[in-house]
Amino acid sequence: MAELQPLFETKQAKGRAAFRVFTATVFAGICLMLVYRFLHIPRGKEEGRRTGIGMFIAEVLFSFYWIITQSARWNVTHNFPFIQRLSQRYEHKLPGVDVFVCTADPIMEPPTLVISTVLSVMSVNYPPEKLSVYLSDDGGSEFTFYALLEASHFSKFWIPFCKKFKVAPMSPEAYFSQQPDEKNVIQVEERLAIKKKYEDMKHQIESIMAKGSISEEVRSQHKGFSEWYNSEVTKQNHQSIVQIIIDGKDTNAVVKEGGRLPTLVYMAREKRPGWPHNFKAGAMNALIRVSSEISNGTIILNLDCDMYANNPDAVREALCFFMDEKRGPEIAFMQHPQSYNNITKNDLYSNCAHVVHQVELAGIGGYDAALYCGTGCFHRRESLSGAKYSKDCGEHKNLEAKEIDERTVDELEKTSKILASCGYEKDTAWGKEMGLLYGCPVEDIVTGLAVQCRGWKSMYYNPDRRAFIGVAPSTLDTQLVQFKRWSEGLFQIFFSKYCPFIYGHGKIKVGAQMGCCVYLLWAPVSLPTLYYMIVPPLCLLHGISLFPKVSSPWFIPFAYVFIARNVYSIIEALNCDSTLKGWWNLQRMLVIRRTTALFFGFVDVILKQLGISQTAFALTAKVVTEDVLKRYEQEVMEFGSSSLMFTIIATLAMLNLFSLVSAIFKMIFLDFGALEKLVFQVILCGLTVLLNFPIYEALFIRKDKGSLPFSVMFKSIAIASLACLIPVN
């Protein structure tokens, strides 16, 4: 019997040998730099000893982190599924798929945005009787429930339209924002008709949201509204609510052409004061339990509420990994990169992370590992239930569709409400050994690591057509809050028992352990960055040299490492579909993130380790005002407040500006010969000033609402001026 062709293949990236040779030369240069630093630390009571020791420590930390980052580039691989082979072999044995969509606040995450995501996944190219979509509403909002009910009616028209014309993206909001294909007259006509239905539905939802109440006439349309008859139902205090809005087993649940509809379920887990709800991880675990009672799909896809489906075949592509006869049984999850539909031409805030998605995460994939990023991820249900991998555990037979449950909708809802109650997890393994793990702001990363340490493998898949697309932060403040939460949670993992070098020892490959730490060590890398942003400019101001003279042989390794790393970084970014200005924006954002959000994340973790602080979760808004959006589209940085982070950004910008101007003045009018020993600091300070041009613009030139307030300008100038008076030694 001929061996079956694989359902996916893995290919190594090109140019690995050349990259490794290049990396070796940079490593040699870094070693020479550290030798110079060590040999030139002032001895005893010589002037500049503390500064010299600080520079040595900062460069040791930078060097260590650079070595860690190279692990994610050492063995880059790419995966390619074959959905035609899947259809040929398993079209009638496809497993059940449960899709989890999570939302938490109807104001910050508008119901119209949420239902666009829900409608998009209901419309994927997959048998509807094997597809179930669950919406977890941690806000317990009747407005979100109402919007989902309206979406269920609209789906009877939207799903057949998507499948008839192979629509992509399947989010109505995203689809109708595109220019129509005028070649197909029938499609244009039907498009206009269904667009009218969508806009009417959207207007109705927004009108009820604006009114702030739902009429009795609307409430009478579905029994689920009875859950909100009690006026005491609030976001943080409500009973468990489970409503099966569309029962996929019901032969009457059909679209207008007669085809079946996927199951659609609304869930709001119980919340009570004094009971821990564990944020998104708690919602996901409640969804795992509730879905196991209603549909029990073998494969789970979880999405954020703004991450709509963009590829009709995304589910089938994922199944190629899970159902491959040879490698599939050991795969626990398959992660997609996070993509966004609102990225500016030059990626103003570096949201897109081209290199991270196309190189670093693919490089971790070279070690049979992946980072679970919390959205756009397909899971094997049993791997999330605490099971350790064994040959029996991942057997191919377990992926086949389960028998149909004969219980009624009311019976299923009643049983499911118990599973979503706040006391259900008490004295159980949920959050410890089962489901997503608790106690960390980045529950996704630590859960993925724990799953892989139980013997499972994972895959990273970056398709040509993006599978899921979301909304990126369009203000600097929102992004920094997001990065603070991420860096804090990631560094907590490094300090915990789940540190990859300890927990993963002997369980996952060393390269995968190091690859995880590229992100786990975001927070501490803020320290050498802050040192470099403060000490070299101050030393330049006082005429103190920190680097070799241009005429010294020791200058060569410093110059080589600086030029080689930046040139390679530019080439890497351009090869990953970025632009030169996009790369420049990334350098600015790296400095801003490290000196503010990542530093605060570091401080919070240290305080938590000392028992002074507690873990918190910050929800980021998905909508902005029109003037903010206009500035974002014009690639103008958004400030508009006097937050501590913005004060730090402005102060560091002013300090570097003062130092550069003062040094240039002294060299021109007093001592031009000093340039030879200070040239490296002049270059570093000059580049920092150029990076900070949007900051100076927001401080002194711009007059719009997104500029920096006068209070920030005053404080930054005052603090930077005082810093210039501090003696450096």
Side-chain angles (χ1 to χ4, degrees):
M1 183 178 176
E3 185 177 348
L4 291 171
Q5 291 182 301
L7 295 180
F8 74 95
E9 65 176 356
T10 302
K11 294 182 179 179
Q12 292 181 335
K14 298 177 181 178
R16 289 200 309 163
F19 167 76
R20 292 179 177 183
V21 171
F22 167 76
T23 302
T25 64
V26 175
F27 179 73
I30 289 173
C31 290
L32 290 172
M33 287 170 54
L34 295 179
V35 169
Y36 170 84
R37 283 287 176 220
F38 182 76
L39 294 177
H40 289 79
I41 295 176
R43 308 299 178 202
K45 295 183 180 179
E46 291 181 33
E47 190 178 80
R49 178 171 172 77
R50 284 184 295 180
T51 301
I53 292 173
M55 290 297 291
F56 176 70
I57 293 173
E59 288 177 6
V60 165
L61 292 174
F62 275 138
S63 301
F64 173 74
Y65 188 70
W66 177 82
I67 292 171
I68 291 290
T69 62
Q70 298 317 293
S71 66
R73 291 167 168 78
W74 201 251
N75 190 32
V76 177
T77 58
H78 302 291
N79 297 302
F80 302 91
F82 304 106
I83 59 174
Q84 291 80 11
R85 296 176 187 175
L86 176 77
S87 298
Q88 289 168 4
R89 296 212 285 268
Y90 298 113
E91 186 61 37
H92 300 295
K93 295 182 179 180
L94 293 173
V97 176
D98 292 344
V99 183
F100 298 167
V101 179
C102 296
T103 184
D105 189 297
I107 304 301
M108 300 184 77
E109 298 168 339
T112 51
L113 178 145
V114 176
I115 62 169
S116 264
T117 297
V118 170
L119 286 164
S120 72
V121 290
M122 289 177 73
S123 307
V124 295
N125 178 23
Y126 201 72
E129 66 274 11
K130 296 180 180 180
L131 181 67
S132 301
V133 181
Y134 294 78
L135 176 64
S136 167
D137 176 20
D138 257 10
S141 169
E142 61 181 340
F143 299 111
T144 302
F145 176 76
Y146 168 69
L148 193 65
L149 188 61
E150 287 296 313
S152 70
H153 301 321
F154 179 70
S155 68
K156 296 177 182 179
F157 304 93
W158 177 247
I159 293 175
F161 175 77
C162 288
K163 295 188 175 181
K164 180 178 180 180
F165 297 107
K166 296 181 173 56
V167 166
M170 294 87 77
S171 157
E173 187 69 28
Y175 175 72
F176 291 129
S177 67
Q178 298 177 344
Q179 290 296 321
D181 180 9
E182 296 181 358
K183 297 177 183 177
N184 190 331
V185 178
I186 297 175
Q187 183 175 353
V188 171
E189 290 177 354
E190 291 195 26
R191 184 183 190 275
L192 288 172
I194 203 163
K195 183 179 181 181
K196 176 69 167 54
K197 290 181 182 294
Y198 174 69
E199 289 177 344
D200 288 345
M201 176 189 70
K202 185 178 175 182
H203 175 72
Q204 207 165 345
I205 293 169
E206 290 174 345
S207 296
I208 284 183
M209 285 283 292
K211 186 180 178 183
S213 63
I214 298 175
S215 67
E216 288 300 321
E217 182 184 352
V218 172
R219 289 178 183 276
S220 64
Q221 294 177 12
H222 196 279
K223 64 182 178 61
F225 284 109
S226 62
E227 300 283 1
W228 285 274
Y229 277 142
N230 185 347
S231 60
E232 294 180 3
V233 172
T234 65
K235 181 178 178 181
Q236 299 298 337
N237 187 13
H238 59 259
Q239 75 280 15
S240 55
I241 303 171
V242 177
Q243 291 293 318
I244 301 175
I245 295 177
I246 298 176
D247 180 11
K249 302 191 298 290
D250 185 358
T251 54
N252 294 319
V254 294
V255 298
K256 63 176 184 177
E257 279 81 5
R260 298 277 292 275
L261 281 170
T263 296
L264 181 63
V265 181
Y266 172 91
M267 183 202 80
R269 61 193 171 115
E270 183 182 16
K271 282 188 177 181
R272 299 298 182 193
W275 285 86
H277 57 81
N278 297 300
F279 311 107
K280 183 179 175 181
M284 281 287 294
N285 287 344
L287 281 169
I288 292 170
R289 295 192 297 271
V290 168
S291 64
S292 69
E293 198 68 27
I294 296 173
S295 54
N296 200 29
T298 310
I299 302 299
I300 292 171
L301 163 64
N302 83 279
L303 295 171
D304 285 345
C305 64
D306 64 328
M307 193 71 65
Y308 63 81
N310 185 58
N311 181 359
D313 292 320
V315 174
R316 290 176 179 270
E317 288 182 349
L319 290 180
C320 289
F321 296 97
F322 291 103
M323 300 188 74
D324 181 75
E325 291 78 7
K326 185 176 180 181
R327 298 168 61 188
E330 60 185 353
I331 295 174
F333 64 88
M334 188 276 283
Q335 177 68 56
H336 279 275
Q338 293 193 40
S339 301
Y340 307 104
N341 64 358
N342 62 331
I343 300 297
T344 60
K345 179 182 177 182
N346 298 299
D347 198 4
L348 178 62
Y349 297 124
S350 299
N351 288 308
C352 208
H354 294 281
V355 173
V356 171
H357 291 146
Q358 296 187 41
V359 178
E360 292 181 359
L361 295 180
I364 296 173
Y367 305 108
D368 297 321
L371 297 183
Y372 168 34
C373 299
T375 183
C377 189
F378 290 86
H379 305 263
R380 188 187 298 270
R381 181 181 287 272
E382 59 187 320
S383 71
L384 283 178
S385 301
K388 292 183 178 180
Y389 171 71
S390 67
K391 290 184 178 179
D392 294 332
C393 212
E395 279 292 329
H396 193 65
K397 62 185 179 184
N398 293 336
L399 280 176
E400 293 181 11
K402 303 293 187 296
E403 292 182 7
I404 296 174
D405 194 326
E406 297 297 334
R407 287 177 293 177
T408 66
V409 166
D410 289 339
E411 289 172 334
L412 288 171
E413 289 176 349
K414 186 177 180 180
T415 307
S416 298
K417 285 180 181 181
I418 298 171
L419 301 177
S421 63
C422 58
Y424 182 84
E425 294 181 352
K426 188 177 180 181
D427 300 324
T428 70
W430 284 99
K432 304 181 188 76
E433 298 171 11
M434 296 177 66
L436 273 69
L437 303 185
Y438 296 154
C440 180
V442 284
E443 67 289 320
D444 38 25
I445 299 290
V446 71
T447 299
L449 180 62
V451 166
Q452 290 170 97
C453 288
R454 292 200 289 263
W456 296 93
K457 291 184 179 179
S458 54
M459 303 296 294
Y460 175 73
Y461 175 47
N462 186 11
D464 292 333
R465 180 174 185 84
R466 297 176 294 175
F468 307 102
I469 299 179
V471 180
S474 52
T475 66
L476 180 60
D477 185 55
T478 302
Q479 201 208 56
L480 293 180
V481 168
Q482 194 176 64
F483 267 85
K484 177 187 174 296
R485 177 171 66 86
W486 288 345
S487 64
E488 180 183 345
L490 291 165
F491 195 38
Q492 276 184 32
I493 296 173
F494 189 80
F495 259 127
S496 72
K497 70 175 185 178
Y498 296 106
C499 175
F501 293 127
I502 300 171
Y503 191 71
H505 179 68
K507 300 173 184 175
I508 58 175
K509 296 177 181 178
V510 175
Q513 296 172 27
M514 294 174 68
C516 289
C517 289
V518 172
Y519 309 100
L520 268 55
L521 295 177
W522 269 356
V525 84
S526 65
L527 300 181
T529 305
L530 268 169
Y531 191 87
Y532 249 73
M533 287 292 292
I534 296 171
V535 175
L538 284 177
C539 288
L540 175 63
L541 183 72
H542 295 288
I544 301 171
S545 175
L546 296 177
F547 297 91
K549 294 181 179 180
V550 177
S551 57
S552 169
W554 287 109
F555 183 81
I556 296 173
F558 281 88
Y560 174 72
V561 170
F562 178 78
I563 295 171
R565 286 181 62 186
N566 281 289
V567 169
Y568 177 80
S569 177
I570 292 171
I571 294 171
E572 187 178 56
L574 295 178
N575 283 338
C576 292
D577 307 317
S578 185
T579 63
L580 189 59
K581 190 174 180 182
W583 174 85
W584 183 252
N585 288 339
L586 172 61
Q587 308 314 302
R588 179 188 307 113
M589 288 308 305
L590 285 175
V591 171
I592 289 175
R593 290 170 189 163
R594 289 179 179 182
T595 54
T596 55
L598 305 193
F599 175 67
F600 287 157
F602 175 83
V603 172
D604 278 0
V605 171
I606 299 302
L607 292 176
K608 187 175 186 297
Q609 293 297 315
L610 297 173
I612 300 173
S613 174
Q614 293 295 322
T615 298
F617 185 89
L619 191 67
T620 52
K622 303 295 191 296
V623 290
V624 293
T625 59
E626 286 187 16
D627 58 329
V628 170
L629 183 60
K630 184 178 179 181
R631 284 192 289 273
Y632 174 67
E633 290 171 347
Q634 293 171 347
E635 298 197 328
V636 176
M637 294 190 76
E638 186 73 25
F639 298 96
S641 72
S642 55
S643 74
L644 179 58
M645 287 192 189
F646 292 165
T647 302
I648 292 173
I649 293 167
T651 300
L652 293 174
M654 294 309 302
L655 175 62
N656 278 268
L657 181 62
F658 289 165
S659 298
L660 182 66
V661 171
S662 176
I664 292 174
F665 179 84
K666 289 177 182 178
M667 289 175 192
I668 293 175
F669 295 105
L670 301 175
D671 184 12
F672 186 75
L675 180 62
E676 184 188 10
K677 67 175 183 178
L678 297 172
V679 64
F680 218 102
Q681 283 157 263
V682 171
I683 292 171
L684 286 177
C685 204
L687 288 172
T688 302
V689 168
L690 288 175
L691 278 176
N692 283 318
F693 179 77
I695 315 300
Y696 305 129
E697 192 178 37
L699 282 168
F700 305 115
I701 301 173
R702 288 169 52 191
K703 301 300 180 185
D704 55 69
K705 291 182 180 179
S707 62
L708 284 164
F710 175 79
S711 60
V712 172
M713 181 179 72
F714 177 79
K715 285 185 284 187
S716 64
I717 293 174
I719 297 170
S721 300
L722 289 173
C724 291
L725 301 175
I726 299 173
V728 182
N729 56 57

